[in-house]
Amino acid sequence: MALLKVKFNQKKRVKLAQGLWLMNWFSVFAGILVFSMGLFLKIELRKRSEVMDNSESHFVPNSLILMGILSCAFNGFAGKICYDSLDPTKFAKWKPFLKPYLALCFFFNILIFFVALICFLMRGSLESTLSQGLKNGMKFYRDTDTPGRCFMKKTIDMLQIEFKCCGNNGFKDWFEIQWISNRYLDFSSKEVKDRIKSNVDGRYLVDGVPFSCCNPSSPRPCIQYQVTNNSAHYSYDYQTEELNLWNRGCREALLHYYSSMMSSMGAVVLLVWLFEVSVMVGLRLLQTSLESIANPEDPECESEGWILENSLKDSLKSALESLKKIGKFNQVEAGAEGAEGEEGGKTPAITTVS
């Protein structure tokens, strides 16, 4: 028994073809939207590539760009088929291409669904990428005179100001690295010498943070040095002063920014996938309804359309049997080639008559 069998007359076939033509062009615009989202996400990731550890995060935007291009191509082609379906004589030239095209559409829809899932599941990979990238970027903050790293201070400062964050996981991350360049340290000062000597690695570590960690909403001037020394400042307790420095780490801020963006894009791609599936189903009904016309010379006669010629269970069985036949055919061919090789390797016997 055929799956989703529907009866059509000429009027219904024409309406289906016209509706599918319109839906395909909507899908082309949806493809342009997916392409634009991928391009936008790629630009946003490029902006902060210096604080990202690897390029794995670009898999999502690259996939969106590819899906957008393929969607425009597939749906533009399908729109042409639906337009020609209004005329049975024009439709005849598309008959050999429809089954392969529908098979490609099936795999294309699987890819779209996979890309939508990836948009929701990339959070873990993105989190590790940002964590390691920010950690490395903070180490290079002081290298303002080193070629290739001189821009890192500006990048980190602009990042902390824009996203209202401080450090990797929090402002205390700055206490563990030397973020002040040696160029601005007075090595004749006893305080500087003592701090360097007290550190095993010979680094100048302070309980201070860059100016970009300061919260402008704080009612008091920003305290960015001796942050943990309550006695160094009047009426100050660093454990309760929540408005002086940004408490949120930049990893969390960036992760929230990109994750929410990817989740929104994933939702849009899922909607596009549902639309593409409906277009594919409609195109399959149109194809079968046109091919099942009993009398091609009488276009007004009724016909039947279906999704699968047999039930889902029978269709899966026939598909598996076809795959098995193909496998057996390849084995037979390989066996025949081996037999020919053995025969070719034999030398004919020569009989001598005395």
Side-chain angles (χ1 to χ4, degrees):
M1 183 179 177
L3 180 65
L4 198 63
K5 185 181 285 188
V6 183
K7 286 189 176 182
F8 289 91
N9 54 29
Q10 186 189 20
K11 188 176 180 180
K12 284 185 177 180
R13 287 192 296 267
V14 169
K15 282 186 177 179
L16 179 60
Q18 289 175 339
L20 284 172
W21 178 83
L22 190 61
M23 288 176 71
N24 274 295
W25 285 110
F26 274 124
S27 295
V28 169
F29 290 119
I32 294 172
L33 175 63
V34 172
F35 175 84
S36 302
M37 289 192 307
L39 196 62
F40 174 76
L41 181 58
K42 194 171 184 69
I43 292 170
E44 286 296 303
L45 290 171
R46 287 279 185 190
K47 282 181 183 178
R48 297 166 189 96
S49 58
E50 295 88 358
V51 293
M52 292 187 178
D53 185 46
N54 53 47
S55 59
E56 287 180 10
S57 54
H58 289 274
F59 177 75
V60 173
N62 291 340
S63 300
L64 290 172
I65 290 170
L66 178 62
M67 289 299 105
I69 293 171
L70 290 177
S71 180
C72 292
F74 273 89
N75 289 290
F77 182 72
K80 174 63 176 172
I81 293 174
C82 294
Y83 182 78
D84 287 347
S85 297
L86 297 171
D87 186 354
T89 56
K90 289 183 179 179
F91 173 75
K93 67 181 180 180
W94 296 114
K95 278 187 178 181
F97 303 101
L98 276 174
K99 283 188 178 179
Y101 174 75
L102 285 168
L104 287 173
C105 284
F106 178 76
F107 288 109
F108 172 66
N109 284 318
I110 291 175
L111 286 175
I112 291 181
F113 185 73
F114 175 74
V115 170
L117 287 181
I118 289 296
C119 288
F120 293 109
L121 300 175
M122 278 295 289
R123 181 183 174 90
S125 175
L126 187 63
E127 184 173 10
S128 60
T129 296
L130 287 170
S131 179
Q132 191 60 41
L134 283 166
K135 188 176 180 181
N136 294 333
M138 289 171 65
K139 286 180 181 177
F140 302 143
Y141 182 88
R142 65 174 182 165
D143 297 338
T144 52
D145 297 326
T146 306
R149 297 178 186 172
C150 55
F151 60 87
M152 190 56 72
K153 179 184 180 299
K154 180 182 177 182
T155 299
I156 297 291
D157 283 334
M158 294 301 295
L159 179 68
Q160 294 188 145
I161 292 170
E162 181 182 353
F163 286 91
K164 299 178 180 180
C165 59
C166 184
N168 189 350
N169 299 306
F171 66 87
K172 289 184 179 179
D173 292 335
W174 289 107
F175 301 171
E176 300 172 3
I177 62 171
Q178 180 181 337
W179 56 272
I180 301 174
S181 174
N182 289 337
R183 178 181 179 183
Y184 304 106
L185 294 176
D186 182 9
F187 287 95
S188 62
S189 169
K190 185 178 182 301
E191 181 188 352
V192 173
K193 288 179 180 179
D194 289 343
R195 282 192 176 273
I196 292 175
K197 286 179 180 179
S198 64
N199 189 275
V200 177
D201 298 329
R203 294 178 297 170
Y204 182 75
L205 303 182
V206 294
D207 58 341
V209 296
F211 77 97
S212 52
C213 284
C214 294
N215 184 348
S217 300
S218 175
R220 69 184 299 162
C222 183
I223 296 174
Q224 62 178 113
Y225 294 106
Q226 295 185 336
V227 175
T228 58
N229 187 359
N230 292 336
S231 61
H233 313 283
Y234 177 73
S235 183
Y236 174 74
D237 184 356
Y238 83 95
Q239 292 181 338
T240 59
E241 288 276 342
E242 297 181 358
L243 294 177
N244 204 257
L245 300 175
W246 301 120
N247 287 320
R248 186 169 66 159
C250 290
R251 177 187 57 81
E252 181 187 346
L254 283 173
L255 185 63
H256 175 74
Y257 175 71
Y258 286 118
S259 295
S260 59
M261 187 187 298
M262 287 184 183
S263 297
S264 301
M265 291 180 178
V268 172
V269 175
L270 272 180
L271 291 174
V272 173
W273 172 74
L274 289 172
F275 200 73
E276 291 284 354
V277 169
S278 62
V279 170
M280 183 182 69
V281 170
L283 190 59
R284 173 62 175 169
L285 288 172
L286 180 64
Q287 175 219 352
T288 50
S289 65
L290 287 170
E291 289 183 351
S292 62
I293 293 176
N295 185 9
E297 295 180 359
D298 182 18
E300 295 184 4
C301 67
E302 290 189 350
S303 62
E304 290 183 340
W306 56 82
I307 304 300
L308 294 174
E309 193 169 357
N310 301 312
S311 64
L312 183 61
K313 185 178 179 181
D314 293 337
S315 299
L316 288 173
K317 280 184 179 179
S318 61
L320 288 172
E321 287 175 2
S322 299
L323 289 173
K324 286 179 181 178
K325 285 179 181 178
I326 292 171
K328 288 179 181 179
F329 181 73
N330 290 335
Q331 288 177 2
V332 169
E333 279 192 341
E337 288 176 0
E340 286 178 3
E342 287 177 4
E343 289 177 2
K346 292 178 181 178
T347 55
I350 300 173
T351 306
T352 56
V353 181
S354 55

